[in-house]
Each structure stands twice: as structure tokens, then as C-alpha cells.
Amino acid sequence: MRRKSVTSAARKSIATTSPGHNAGRDVAIIGGGIGGLTAALAFARQDAKVTVYEQAPALTEVGAGLQITPNGARALIDLDLGPALAASGLVAQAVVPMDALTGDEVARFDLSTHNPPYRFLHRAALIDLLARACAAQGVKVVLDTTVSGVSADGSFEAGSAVVKPQLTIGADGVKSQVRQTIGRPTEAFFTGQVAWRAMITRPDADPVARIWMAPGRHMVTYPLQNGRLNIVAVQARQQWAEEGWHHPDEPGNLRAAFADTCWEIKGILGEVEEVKLWGLFRHEVAQNWHAGPVAILGDAAHPTLPFLAQGANLAIEDAYVLARCCNENASIEDALQAYQTKRRARVTRAIRVANANARNYHLKGIQRRVAHTALRGMGRLAPDAFLRRLSWLYDYDVTA
């Protein structure tokens, strides 16, 4: 059964709500990642004056793939990025749980019924299409600039300049300094899991996401454009690793962690020449997402473990809702309260499901056999049931 998206007549589009209260509003966004650039584009399309401050010398992401699920895609399409999204990504056909020890397919769940499609993208491709769209809307991007001293009134130092916009948005990631302005963040704790990220050339890979499950470990693989295969591998262990995506590790350590798995995995990992390692830490969802004319979104508000492919999608949704709430309210404080009210329960639920997947992928012994038997039965007898359990996530239309 094909999943239907909300018709255009039922939408309240970013593009059709101008002119509104964002017209002429001076908005500063700290962080030029996916959430920050989506927010910049959404506000700029409502005629706000938008400046993005990014500490890196260029807007780019390297060496990592992501999955844009239908809920995230609806917001991007409404921002007129549909054709660019289609040109930059691969349409996913299925998600396939695998037994990593035997190489057997446990089940196959069809993704092709989603509208809009579920897509695999390289992060750099998404950053690029967002950056080009922002430039076309007149967004100013200030690169290679360190932001400090974010105050309760939204003012901050950008390099040697003092900036005081009407609205300051922290899209500055898991170590957000803007979040500290809003309220003291809770201490993160190590989950006892580490993750590796790598990429190899695999031009013949079919467009499916495979979840290779093993006791205490799992690996997710899916293809990207230009014949690349994205790899994310997770191991439960007590040896601590630093948080963050860009810490180099030896490929041999990744191969050793999966040394007793099937020949397909050994073949994939045997081609890895460069790998990044990071520790997985759990953070509480922020109690407050705003204070005065300051707000946070994405990982700054709700860091997400990578077990539901929703980090980027939730940030995109946040950005879209934040812009629309501000456009609909003359009072920034009222707008930011509406934004938090609309978003917090949803992202909390998504994070709870992601945390559960971290356990389910790593089952051992009798629990593992029972879970695989249940997946096989579901795949044969009720293949739609697996995805129906996530209909609250994928069928959600932030533009409606």
C-alpha cells in the first residue's frame, strides 16, 4: 500500500506564509551544519535578514552518509529543494536486517512505498544544496569565525565584532555553547558503545540499507552516489572513546571487532583504508529550548544516538517549525515557546526509540534467536507491520 503525503491544498507552506512577522527580522544562526542552513533558508524565504556564523573555513562535511527519511524530505521539498534532493541522493528500496554471523538475510522490509521517497545522501551533498539555496535567498555566511560570549539578550562576539540580532539561534551541535546560555546542560554519560564510520568504493551495491546484527555489535551499510558504500559500525565495550565524528582510528581495530562475522562483512571491512572512531554518549533532551530571544535546535537541543537515522531529519524539522512559529508570532518569546511545545515531545519519543534499537541490534543467546525468529515471521506474514510501527515518524508532515 503506497503511503500518501498531504496534498498541497492541505499544506501551510513556508513559501505561502510570507509576508509575516519574519519580514525584515534580523536573525543570527550560530552553526553552518544541516540544521543551521535549513533554518537560514526557511527564515530567508520569509524575508528575514539572515546571517550564519560558522567556525570552519568552509561549509562542508566529509566522509559520511545520511538517510533522509520522508518526514525530513517533506520540509526540504517545501523549501523548493525537491529537484536538488532527487539529483543528489539514491532512492532506497528496502531495509534488510541481516545475521552478521552467518550472512543470512533475516527479513526484508520494503521502503519503496514511501512518498516522498526515502533517500541515501552524502552529508556533503546535502550541505552543498542547502548552501546554494541559502546563497540564492541572500543569506550571509561568515566563515572561519569563532563565536563567544552569547548573552541572555542574544548578543555575542563574532571574532572582533559584537553582534546583537533580534533573534539568535544555536545550531552549534552537541557541544553547544548557546545551550549553556539557555540553561546549564546535564552531564553526558558514555553508553558503553563506540562507533566507526568509513566509506569504500562499491559501484554494484543495491539501494538497500542492511543492518548486520551480531552479539554486542552491529554494522549498517548503504550505498551513496558515485559508487560509494557508507559504513557505520558499532561495538559495545567499556574502553572509552572521545565524543565527536572526526577522531582517526586504525582500520585493523574495526576489522578485529568483527573478526568472527560472515565473509561478506570481512570483504567489506577488508577494503576500508581510512576510518573514524567516536564514543557514543547519551545526553538528556534540553528542558528549555529558548530564553529571551535565543533558541536552540538539532543536536544543541537533543543529541541523538545514530540508531534510527533521525539526527539530520529531526534538525530539519526543528528548523522548519522554528521559522514558521516566528513568522506567525509578532512576539519572539511567544514564537519560541510555541516552537518548543510543538517539538519536544516528538524528538523525545524518537530518541527513546533510537536508544531501544541500540539494545535490540546487539542481542545475544536465546534473546537473539527469539528476536530473529520474530523478524523472519514478520517479514513473511506481515511485512508492512515493521514500517507501520514507525508510521508516527515517517508519515509525519511538518508542513501540514
Side-chain angles (χ1 to χ4, degrees):
M1 179 176 173
R2 178 165 294 275
R3 298 174 186 273
K4 297 180 180 180
S5 60
V6 175
T7 64
S8 58
R11 295 180 185 274
K12 190 174 183 182
S13 167
I14 283 282
T16 59
T17 53
S18 291
H21 296 291
N22 279 337
R25 190 170 261 166
D26 186 6
V27 179
I29 299 173
I30 300 172
I34 291 167
L37 291 178
T38 304
L41 179 59
F43 274 94
R45 286 173 60 84
Q46 296 167 337
D47 302 321
K49 176 187 174 184
V50 183
T51 305
V52 176
Y53 296 87
E54 169 58 44
Q55 65 179 353
L59 292 177
T60 186
E61 281 276 6
V62 295
L66 54 77
Q67 301 173 47
I68 294 297
T69 50
N71 48 300
R74 291 185 183 97
L76 296 176
I77 290 168
D78 195 68
L79 294 170
D80 278 350
L81 295 176
L85 188 63
S88 300
L90 297 178
V91 174
Q93 294 300 312
V95 58
V96 183
M98 305 286 295
D99 187 323
L101 302 183
T102 65
D104 293 337
E105 183 176 295
V106 177
R108 177 176 289 253
F109 301 107
D110 187 12
L111 294 176
S112 65
T113 59
H114 284 292
N115 182 24
Y118 193 119
R119 284 191 167 90
F120 306 135
L121 273 81
H122 195 290
R123 285 179 179 271
L126 183 55
I127 289 287
D128 182 63
L129 69 89
L130 285 167
R132 285 188 279 110
C134 284
Q137 289 292 328
V139 172
K140 181 181 179 182
V141 178
V142 181
L143 298 171
D144 204 15
T145 299
T146 300
V147 169
S148 61
V150 180
S151 300
D153 65 357
S155 63
F156 55 88
E157 297 178 10
S160 59
V162 176
V163 181
K164 189 174 181 180
Q166 293 172 282
L167 172 63
T168 298
I169 299 170
D172 48 344
V174 68
K175 297 181 180 179
S176 171
Q177 64 164 307
V178 182
R179 178 169 172 167
Q180 295 179 24
T181 300
I182 292 172
R184 187 172 182 83
T186 56
E187 195 71 27
F189 66 90
F190 181 49
T191 63
Q193 296 176 322
V194 297
W196 290 273
R197 187 184 295 278
M199 196 172 297
I200 64 172
T201 300
R202 190 57 68 92
D204 57 344
D206 51 345
V208 303
R210 287 186 168 83
I211 306 170
W212 305 83
M213 301 175 292
R217 295 149 295 162
H218 81 279
M219 186 171 80
V220 178
T221 59
Y222 55 87
L224 303 173
Q225 283 193 335
N226 301 321
R228 294 167 295 178
L229 186 72
N230 193 72
I231 303 165
V232 178
V234 177
Q235 179 189 34
R237 75 182 199 194
Q238 294 306 310
Q239 183 182 355
W240 180 82
E242 189 174 350
E243 192 170 25
W245 288 0
H246 303 297
H247 308 296
D249 195 28
E250 291 295 325
N253 293 334
L254 170 57
R255 287 191 275 268
F258 288 82
D260 62 343
T261 56
C262 62
W263 66 268
E264 293 97 332
I265 290 180
K266 291 177 182 176
I268 290 170
L269 298 184
E271 297 179 33
V272 172
E273 297 179 353
E274 182 180 345
V275 65
K276 306 293 185 182
L277 171 71
W278 77 102
L280 300 180
F281 287 73
R282 191 173 296 175
H283 301 253
E284 297 293 336
V285 176
Q287 288 297 318
N288 296 309
W289 294 22
H290 65 95
V294 182
I296 50 177
L297 60 77
D299 280 350
H302 48 81
T304 308
L305 292 175
F307 302 130
L308 194 62
Q310 286 302 301
N313 292 285
L314 293 177
I316 290 166
E317 288 184 7
D318 285 353
Y320 188 100
V321 172
L322 176 56
R324 190 160 75 182
C325 287
C326 289
N327 205 42
E328 292 172 348
N329 287 274
S331 164
I332 287 178
E333 292 195 19
D334 288 349
L336 300 187
Q337 182 58 53
Y339 156 66
Q340 176 174 317
T341 299
K342 290 175 183 292
R343 296 298 302 156
R344 195 174 187 280
R346 175 168 168 79
V347 302
T348 300
R349 182 179 184 183
I351 289 170
R352 187 166 59 245
V353 174
N355 293 344
N357 284 347
R359 297 186 298 271
N360 296 337
Y361 293 159
H362 293 184
L363 297 176
K364 303 176 182 179
I366 186 64
Q367 287 184 315
R368 184 173 190 267
R369 291 194 293 274
V370 169
H372 285 204
T373 299
L375 277 174
R376 288 189 181 95
M378 187 183 297
R380 287 194 302 267
L381 302 175
D384 285 347
F386 179 82
L387 293 177
R388 278 203 303 270
R389 289 163 53 189
L390 291 174
S391 62
W392 64 271
L393 181 66
Y394 295 153
D395 292 351
Y396 182 77
D397 190 346
V398 75
T399 75

